[in-house]
Amino acid sequence: NVSLSARHLLGLINDILDVSAIEADALELHEENIALSDVFETSARLIRSRAEAGQVIVTPSIDPGVPRIYVDERRTKQILLNLLSNAVKFTPEGGEVSVNVSLNDGGSLVAAVADNGIGMDEEEMTMALSTFGQVDSGLDRKHEGTGLGLPLTKRLMELHGGTMEIKSEKGHGTTIMVTFPKER
C-alpha cells in the first residue's frame, strides 16, 4: 500500500529530525493543559490496526481521578505511540498489552505500558536505549523501525522533567513506565 508506505517513511524522517533537534537541544515544547486520556485514545486508535493484524489485545486502564496535565500534546502523543507500538511489535499473536495511567503516592502521573511479549535481558535493554540500536525480536513479523523509539521517548520525558524506566525479563515481557512530575 503506497499511502501506508509513504506515511511510514514520513514517520521515520520525522523521528530522525526529532533526534537531531533534541541532540542540538533545539526542541521547544509547546505546552498546554490536556487530558491524558484523550491523548491515549488517539494513540490507541493509530496503533489499533497493527495490534489487530498481530492479534494483540490492547487493554487500557486510566484512573478517572487523573487530573489534566501540562505538557506538549504532540510530544506526549509521540511518547505514548512509541511505547504502544513497541509493545505491540514485540508481542506474539494472542498476546496482550496493557496501559495503566494513575497518580503515584507522590502525586506524579505514571503511565505504564506492559506487554507479555518476548522481553529483554540487560544487554538488550542497553541496546534498545542506544540511538539506532535495535533488538532482534525473533518473531516472524517484519519489524520495521529506526531504533530511535526508546532513546527519543526517554529524551522527550526528560524535556518534560520526567523519567522513563524499563523493567523486562527475557521471555516474560516488558513494562515501560513514564512518570510526569507532580508540578505538571
Side-chain angles (χ1 to χ4, degrees), residues 100-170:
N100 285 294
V101 180
S102 59
L103 292 178
N104 67 14
D105 294 340
S108 296
L109 193 141
V110 181
V113 177
D115 64 64
N116 60 359
I118 59 171
M120 296 180 281
D121 57 27
E122 288 293 329
E123 193 181 326
E124 288 172 329
M125 280 193 266
T126 302
M127 187 188 295
L129 283 169
S130 68
T131 307
F132 299 109
Q134 282 188 285
V135 177
D136 179 32
S137 73
L139 297 175
D140 290 336
R141 295 204 297 274
K142 283 196 202 99
H143 292 312
E144 77 285 345
T146 54
L148 294 172
L150 288 181
L152 183 58
T153 301
K154 185 175 194 288
R155 192 67 186 100
L156 288 172
M157 283 306 300
E158 288 166 357
L159 283 172
H160 281 93
T163 58
M164 182 182 90
E165 190 184 343
I166 304 177
K167 289 180 182 161
S168 189
E169 192 183 338
K170 193 82 179 157

Side-chain angles (χ1 to χ4, degrees), residues 34-41 43-44 58-69 71 76 79-81 83-84 97-105 107-114 157 175-180:
I34 61 159
L36 201 62
S37 54
D38 294 347
V39 173
F40 173 74
E41 284 302 316
S43 304
V58 179
T59 316
S61 169
I62 299 176
D63 186 328
V66 167
R68 291 175 79 78
I69 180 170
V71 291
T76 304
I79 289 165
L80 270 174
L81 205 49
L83 297 183
L84 281 170
V97 172
S98 68
V99 184
N100 285 294
V101 180
S102 59
L103 292 178
N104 67 14
D105 294 340
S108 296
L109 193 141
V110 181
V113 177
M157 283 306 300
T175 299
I176 299 185
M177 289 189 313
V178 290
T179 305
F180 291 93

Side-chain angles (χ1 to χ4, degrees), residues 46-62:
L46 290 168
I47 209 72
R48 192 167 290 133
S49 64
R50 181 188 275 185
E52 285 170 359
Q55 294 178 19
V56 174
I57 298 160
V58 179
T59 316
S61 169
I62 299 176

